[in-house]
Amino acid sequence: MTGPMDWDRLVLGPCQAVFGESVQWLQGGSSAAITLTGIFDNGWKPMDVEIVDGITPSHVVSADARLGVQLSQFATQPAQGDIFIIRGSRWIVREVMDDSHGGADILLNKADKINDPLPGSTARQSGWSAPPDY
């Protein structure tokens, strides 16, 4: 009888070598990016939305960006709020889903404009500041 299968070496490593691409990871508030390999997927998924006012059901399509990673590449686990730079765009970690075999699926939200002012807002642009009791 053989021992347990080495998922990291026999499965995850070869998958990353074939399908992975170089990405940068900014842990927490760090400004020093760490380069590693991940399998990026920004596919579309259908979402059925039932409208209760008598109108026929609507079909909505949503982006579902995720990064498949080999956890052995990380000194510490990636976490919600970390930033990844993938193909020149910034993504913030929404959730890390460990697969219990040495890999994880990291769900991402687009973060390129995360600190931009809200559309139509003049508060940041005009230098206006809220009164102390606002």
Side-chain angles (χ1 to χ4, degrees):
M1 185 167 163
T2 62
M5 184 171 168
D6 184 352
W7 285 89
D8 189 61
R9 185 175 60 82
L10 297 173
V11 178
L12 299 174
C15 285
Q16 289 291 339
V18 173
F19 301 108
E21 60 188 270
S22 181
V23 301
Q24 284 74 47
W25 173 48
L26 298 160
Q27 182 183 22
S30 173
S31 60
I34 297 169
T35 301
L36 48 95
T37 302
I39 301 170
F40 181 62
D41 182 19
N42 194 15
W44 297 93
K45 68 177 182 179
M47 297 170 50
D48 287 329
V49 178
E50 186 72 33
I51 300 177
V52 293
D53 63 1
I55 300 175
T56 59
S58 296
H59 299 285
V60 177
V61 177
S62 173
D64 189 29
R66 58 186 62 226
L67 184 68
V69 297
Q70 187 178 12
L71 290 173
S72 63
Q73 295 184 79
F74 294 84
T76 58
Q77 288 271 19
Q80 186 177 39
D82 287 356
I83 299 287
F84 281 91
I85 301 170
I86 305 167
R87 299 178 185 170
S89 292
R90 294 172 65 86
W91 298 86
I92 191 166
V93 174
R94 183 174 76 225
E95 185 177 356
V96 178
M97 300 173 64
D98 189 326
D99 72 4
S100 78
H101 293 293
D105 210 13
I106 300 177
L107 306 181
L108 303 166
N109 286 334
K110 190 82 165 169
D112 280 339
K113 299 181 181 206
I114 201 164
N115 291 320
D116 287 359
L118 295 174
S121 169
T122 58
R124 287 190 188 171
Q125 298 163 357
S126 68
W128 175 86
S129 58
D133 62 343
Y134 185 69

